[in-house]
Each structure stands twice: as structure tokens, then as C-alpha cells.
Amino acid sequence: MKKSTHIRMPYKMFSLVMAFLIISSSVPFAFAAETLKATNVTQYPTISYKNADGKMYFGQTETEGLIINDDEIVLDAAGNQVAGHFTFKDVDKIPTNGTGKKLNLTFVPDNTDEYTGFNKMFSPVLYDVETVTPVYVDEENDPVVASEIEAGATLSTSTLSGGKMTNPYNPEEPKILARTWEWVTPSTVVNESGYYEAMFGPAGYTLTYAQVYVRIAGEIPETTITEAPTVPVLNYDGVTTWGDIPLEGGKAELKVEGTAVEGTFAVTDYWKTRTVNPGSYEIDVVFTPADPEAALPYSLKIPVTVNKGQMKFVDESGNEIVPEITVEYGTTFGDIHYYLESYVAGDDAVSIGMVGIENANKTLCKDGTYTASLINRTDSNYERTELPFKIVIKRKTLTPKLTVAVGSDGLIIRDSSGNYSPKGTFTLEYTIDGVPQEPITGIKYETAFEFNYNKSGNYEYTIIYNEAEVDEYFIIDDFTTSNPIFLTWKFSATGMPAVETYKYGSAVSYTAPAIDETKSDKPYYVFSEWSEVKGIEMTDEQKSNPEVSFTMPDNDVEFKASYKFSFKAFFEWIWAKVVQFFTFIFNAVRDLFSLAAA
């Protein structure tokens, strides 16, 4: 029985242990993080310098001058590499200048639950710190200055101030160095004003030297010019002297202190009365302080270039202008110089030509702005100058010698004087023997227009000009002219070999043939009357008279005669035939007897 029990006990214990292990494997337990040590580092990181020149300078903190590169290797106790990085232990540490500086580091693991970092003082990571030359914070506005001293005193009695210096590698937030300037040889005895050497040299920096002016008490300070005055652009005019020219700008200050000095700039007496001629010069100018006890005068030279003169048009007060010339229409550009001469400044002889105007002597002026070319024939210090001027054409009223001429194509309105060519149209109003007729409109100058003279009489014309927008320079008066017209008319009558023409009012006489010429073999048909009359009125008595006389009317006239049988004429014609027969017989017999007698 006991043996049996002894055998089962180990089995139960084994089961309990296995159950405990299974349960414990599923329940988390907190274990202490492993503390890493410097001895765990098998490879320290390397460093590089932030400055572009690959150096670190005194005055910079380690964080300002260095970069830690992540190339370290750190192992735990089991030999596993631990992820993490090194940082600067003292972020604000400013190391002294020198070589082989050891970097203090802190290792920070990425998994802070499993590992605890460490600090490494004087690690094997080395770097160098360069000595620095300090620089001025603001040398122009805060230079090193020295206080006045009595003659015979030593430099040590002159206090140095200003000249604040800083580390050049802290430009954004300058670290003003607490060190002050001091004399290199403070025991030097000063008997006259002048420059003496001072130095600035805090630990870690190279010595910096400056020449500082020391003034003996009571001496008038020297002046220097920080900005020379300028002279405006100069053009020769023949009368201006150097003393007439204003000097513009210019600044002066005490040579040492840099304090601004009030005063005036002026050319020297040598230059004041000299005429400003074309060329290049260096004129002598003197700065005179407003307070002669506060600063000394200063002499300087100013380079100046004077151009050749420019001709000018001026008014009576001498002010430069663009002349406006009013001329009559018909003036040519060749005459404009007579008007412009009175505007030219000075009394020199000047030639004036027109720019861009061809054949100026024949080209009529028009309204507008033009350019004249001026050449001074007296003074060669002037150059050829082109100047603008304006022309205004004076409108004038013309009473042209217009005529109404009878052309081959009708009437033409033209000006016998030939001094203008109007652009507008004309209206022709006219009367015939005082009776108004329908006017004709839209007539153009020198263009024939149809005009039918259908009636003789005295034609009186009134020509009215309708001004056009382009008629810029003249106005045309209305005018009246007359023209008596006597038209030529046709006259035809029975027995006339051809139609004849007569002017209106001419005296006309005609006699009809006594017999009907169309029946020449029957001469016993004689004139009866003017049976058809056109163009004139005739009485019955006049119609029965073969002889007519009348004044040519204002139209064609036509007469046609009628003939009738006349017994008297018939018997006269028979009797004439009988007499003719017997006369023939008688002459024949007589001729026979004459032959027989022979």
C-alpha cells in the first residue's frame, strides 16, 4: 500500500508544475529595465561640423558647431544591438579654443521600457575649436572713440568707449563681448592730436587693433565729407557762370566723432565769375561749417561735364516755350522762320529749317505741331537743336472771283484767282429776267453740271457755298453774277434751200417763192398764203403776204406756204408759149433767106 502511494506522488507534482508553467506563461510580469553602460558601446558615433568651412569656432556651443552622426553601435548584456542615439550632454556648453576636445555624450535608447541610457563623460569622440577674430557690431555708427585730454597727458587719461565687438558666428543674436578696448601703450605722452593704437583681446579671441583719434582739448575738430555735393546737368548758354549754379546735396561730419556738421558748399572765388563753357572740369568747392568753432572748413574737387548749348524758344520773360504761330492760309513752311526768329533766345544769328517738310517753299502750312532745326551761326558752343512749335491757320473770309462758265459738259463754277480749292458744295439760285427758277444743289467746284438754257433772257446767278468739315482755313462769301443769254433758234420756210438759225431777238425777213416750185412745169400755181405757221403769231393779212418780217422769238419758227391755180397766170403762160412759137418760126425763115442771099 505504501509502495503504491510513493509511486503516484511524483506524477502529481509534475502535473502541478506543468499547470503552473502554462498559466504563468499567459500572465505578464514586470521585470526591471536593463541599465546600459559605456562599456556596452562597441562603436561611438562620429561628428561633423555645421559651419561651411568644416570648422568650429570659439564662442559657439557644441550644439551650434557640431552634428552627431548616427553611426554608433551599442550592445545590451546579451550582446544584442540596442536601437537609439547619442545627444549632447551639455547643450549650452561653450568649449575653450584648442584641439582634441572630448565630447560629453548621453545615449538615449529608443525602447525606454527595456533599457535605460547612460552618460559618457570625456568620450573618445574628439573635436577642435578654432580661435576667433571678433568683429564690430556696428563700426560705422559705433566706432571706438577716445575722450579729449590735456596736452602733455598720457593716453591712459583718455577713456575709450564704443566699438562693441561680437563673435561673427552669432550674427542673428550677437553675443556682445564684455571686454573693453584698451590702449596698447597707455603711458605714451600726448602733445598733439592724432591717431593712437588701441587693442581688443578677450580670452579665446585673437587680438584686434584700431587706430583711435585723440584730440587735445581746445582744438577745432577736422571735417570730412561723407557725401559730395552734385551739380545738375549743365548745358552751355553763353551767360551762366559757375557761381550761378546751385550745388545740390552734400554731407559733412566730424572726421573722428562722425557727428554731422551743418554748413554750406560753394565754388571758390576763382570759379565764381567764370562762364560755364562746354567741356569736362574738376571745380574747386569749399565746405564752410555754420559754426566755425565747431569744425574746420574742407576743400574738395567735384568732376563736372558741361554739354554744348541747346537752342531755345522763349517768351518775353525768358521762359522756355513751344511757340504757337498764327498765319494766314496760303503761308508756306519756307516763310515760317520769319515768325520763329523772334522766339529764339539770345541775339546770335540763327538758321532755322523745317524737319520732315519737303519743298518747304511750296508746301502750304497746316494746323499742327512741327519741328524746327536751329543752327547758331555765331557761337559754335551751341549744337544743332530740334525744337517743336505749333502752327494755327487763321480762318479768313474770301470773296473769290468765281464765274459761271459754259463748258462742253454744262456749267462750271471756278475761281479765276486760283488760290483755293473748296471741299464743300454750291447751291445755284438763279432768275431769268427777274423770275425765280428752281435752284440747283450739290454742285462741286470745278465739276461740270448740267444746266439747260431753255429760254433766252438775262440770267442772274447767286452762288451759295455750303461749307464742308474739311474747310479748315477759309470762309467763302455768297456771290452774285449775271449772264444774258440769247439762244439761237431755227427758222425754216417754204422755198428755203436749208434751215437757217437766228439768235433770239434778231430781225428776220423772208419772201416766199411766187409760184409753187414743186410744180415748175405748171407756173400758173401762185402763192396763196402762209397756210401753216409755227412758233409765231400772224394776222390773216400777214399770212396772205409772201413777204414776212419779224423778230426771232425764243423758239423755232416754221412757215409753210400754199399755192392756188390762177387763170391770169395760166393765160399769161399760154400767151408766152404762143409768142415763143411765132418767134421761133420768124427766126427760122429769116435764117433761110439769109442763106439764099449768100
Side-chain angles (χ1 to χ4, degrees):
M1 188 69 170
K2 291 182 179 178
K3 187 177 181 179
S4 160
T5 305
H6 177 75
I7 294 174
R8 289 196 293 269
M9 286 300 290
Y11 175 78
K12 292 179 179 179
M13 289 297 293
F14 176 77
S15 299
L16 290 172
V17 170
M18 290 301 295
F20 172 78
L21 290 175
I22 292 171
I23 295 171
S24 63
S25 66
S26 62
V27 176
F29 287 89
F31 295 96
E34 179 182 344
T35 298
L36 301 173
K37 300 178 181 180
T39 55
N40 294 84
V41 180
T42 61
Q43 178 176 311
Y44 277 93
T46 58
I47 61 154
S48 56
Y49 296 95
K50 286 186 177 181
N51 294 325
D53 60 359
K55 296 179 180 180
M56 178 178 174
Y57 292 89
F58 176 71
Q60 290 182 301
T61 64
E62 290 177 335
T63 55
E64 290 174 334
L66 301 174
I67 299 173
I68 299 176
N69 301 311
D70 293 329
D71 51 2
E72 69 280 347
I73 300 176
V74 179
L75 303 178
D76 61 12
N80 300 312
Q81 185 170 346
V82 179
H85 63 278
F86 280 98
T87 64
F88 298 100
K89 180 180 181 301
D90 303 312
V91 295
D92 295 324
K93 179 182 178 181
I94 299 178
T96 59
N97 56 303
T99 59
K101 300 290 180 177
K102 293 185 176 182
L103 190 62
N104 295 332
L105 295 171
T106 295
F107 181 76
V108 180
D110 291 348
N111 187 348
T112 57
D113 293 332
E114 187 174 354
Y115 299 102
T116 299
F118 63 90
N119 296 323
K120 173 59 178 174
M121 303 297 289
F122 307 110
S123 72
V125 179
L126 305 179
Y127 64 95
D128 300 330
V129 178
E130 304 290 335
T131 302
V132 174
T133 299
V135 295
Y136 287 92
V137 174
D138 187 355
E139 184 177 9
E140 181 177 355
N141 298 308
D142 183 32
V144 187
V145 294
S147 62
E148 291 183 352
I149 62 173
E150 297 294 331
T154 62
L155 278 177
S156 61
T157 61
S158 176
T159 302
L160 291 168
S161 62
K164 294 182 179 66
M165 305 293 282
T166 185
N167 188 311
Y169 297 96
N170 302 101
E172 295 182 359
E173 296 182 5
K175 296 179 180 178
I176 306 302
L177 302 179
R179 185 82 175 193
T180 58
W181 289 84
E182 56 189 59
W183 295 111
V184 175
T185 56
S187 61
T188 299
V189 177
V190 179
N191 291 311
E192 62 181 15
S193 300
Y195 286 93
Y196 297 86
E197 193 170 41
M199 62 182 179
F200 184 91
Y205 293 86
T206 57
L207 282 174
T208 302
Y209 296 91
Q211 295 293 317
V212 183
Y213 191 82
V214 179
R215 178 177 294 107
I216 300 299
E219 287 186 355
I220 299 176
E222 292 183 26
T223 306
T224 188
I225 304 302
T226 58
E227 181 181 306
T230 59
V231 175
V233 177
L234 298 180
N235 294 314
Y236 171 80
D237 62 9
V239 295
T240 300
T241 64
W242 289 104
D244 298 328
I245 298 171
L247 299 177
E248 300 174 350
K251 294 180 181 179
E253 64 181 30
L254 294 180
K255 184 175 182 180
V256 177
E257 292 82 348
T259 307
V261 179
E262 297 296 326
T264 57
F265 291 91
V267 296
T268 61
D269 291 341
Y270 171 84
W271 290 92
K272 282 183 179 179
T273 58
R274 290 178 174 268
T275 302
V276 178
N277 290 318
S280 297
Y281 304 89
E282 280 195 338
I283 61 173
D284 297 308
V285 174
V286 174
F287 172 76
T288 303
D291 182 358
E293 299 297 325
L296 294 173
Y298 190 93
S299 298
L300 66 154
K301 290 182 179 291
I302 299 177
V304 179
T305 299
V306 181
N307 301 317
K308 279 198 168 188
Q310 299 285 316
M311 306 295 291
K312 296 180 180 179
F313 289 136
V314 297
D315 58 16
E316 294 180 353
S317 300
N319 300 315
E320 191 168 1
I321 61 169
V322 176
E324 185 174 289
I325 301 169
T326 301
V327 298
E328 295 282 348
Y329 175 75
T331 303
T332 67
F333 281 100
D335 296 328
I336 290 299
H337 67 94
Y338 295 115
Y339 297 88
L340 292 177
E341 286 173 352
S342 62
Y343 292 100
V344 179
D347 299 324
D348 295 337
V350 178
S351 295
I352 302 177
M354 298 295 106
V355 177
I357 304 297
E358 297 183 2
N359 201 1
N361 290 328
K362 293 185 178 180
T363 302
L364 295 181
C365 295
K366 295 182 179 181
D367 286 330
T369 299
Y370 301 91
T371 302
S373 173
L374 283 68
I375 299 176
N376 191 310
R377 302 199 307 271
T378 304
D379 191 345
S380 62
N381 285 322
Y382 286 96
E383 64 183 358
R384 177 181 175 274
T385 308
E386 293 186 356
L387 296 174
F389 67 94
K390 295 179 180 179
I391 291 179
V392 176
I393 303 300
K394 180 181 179 182
R395 285 173 60 91
K396 60 181 179 180
T397 300
L398 301 178
T399 306
K401 298 178 181 179
L402 291 173
T403 60
V404 181
V406 179
S408 59
D409 297 324
L411 294 186
I412 298 176
I413 296 177
R414 61 165 55 103
D415 173 28
S416 60
S417 65
N419 63 358
Y420 73 99
S421 180
K423 303 297 188 299
T425 60
F426 294 89
T427 297
L428 177 65
E429 295 181 353
Y430 67 102
T431 62
I432 302 176
D433 294 332
V435 179
Q437 307 295 313
E438 184 69 24
I440 301 174
T441 60
I443 303 170
K444 293 184 178 181
Y445 179 76
E446 279 286 3
T447 301
F449 63 96
E450 184 178 353
F451 187 89
N452 295 320
Y453 286 104
N454 54 12
K455 185 177 181 180
S456 298
N458 185 51
Y459 283 67
E460 186 170 289
Y461 314 95
T462 297
I463 306 298
I464 301 170
Y465 182 64
N466 305 305
E467 187 173 342
E469 291 183 1
V470 293
D471 283 330
E472 300 172 309
Y473 307 127
F474 51 80
I475 304 170
I476 301 176
D477 274 349
D478 297 342
F479 68 98
T480 301
T481 184
S482 60
N483 185 17
I485 297 296
F486 299 98
L487 299 179
T488 298
W489 300 98
K490 297 177 182 179
F491 172 60
S492 60
T494 301
M496 293 179 66
V499 175
E500 295 180 357
T501 57
Y502 295 89
K503 285 187 177 182
Y504 167 72
S506 299
V508 182
S509 297
Y510 181 70
T511 301
I515 61 174
D516 187 352
E517 294 180 346
T518 61
K519 300 177 180 180
S520 56
D521 58 336
K522 299 177 179 180
Y524 37 80
Y525 284 87
V526 298
F527 177 81
S528 174
E529 64 176 353
W530 297 106
S531 58
E532 187 176 342
V533 178
K534 295 180 180 179
I536 194 173
E537 297 292 333
M538 297 183 70
T539 64
D540 292 340
E541 182 179 356
Q542 291 173 324
K543 289 182 178 180
S544 61
N545 188 354
E547 295 181 4
V548 292
S549 296
F550 59 92
T551 299
M552 191 66 181
D554 205 13
N555 50 258
D556 294 333
V557 177
E558 181 181 0
F559 291 171
K560 288 186 177 180
S562 60
Y563 291 84
K564 60 183 179 179
F565 179 81
S566 171
F567 286 102
K568 177 182 179 182
F570 177 75
F571 286 115
E572 288 176 351
W573 178 73
I574 292 297
W575 174 249
K577 290 293 186 179
V578 170
V579 171
Q580 182 181 5
F581 174 75
F582 282 106
T583 300
F584 174 77
I585 296 297
F586 174 78
N587 290 334
V589 171
R590 186 185 60 187
D591 291 339
L592 290 174
F593 279 107
S594 296
L595 291 172

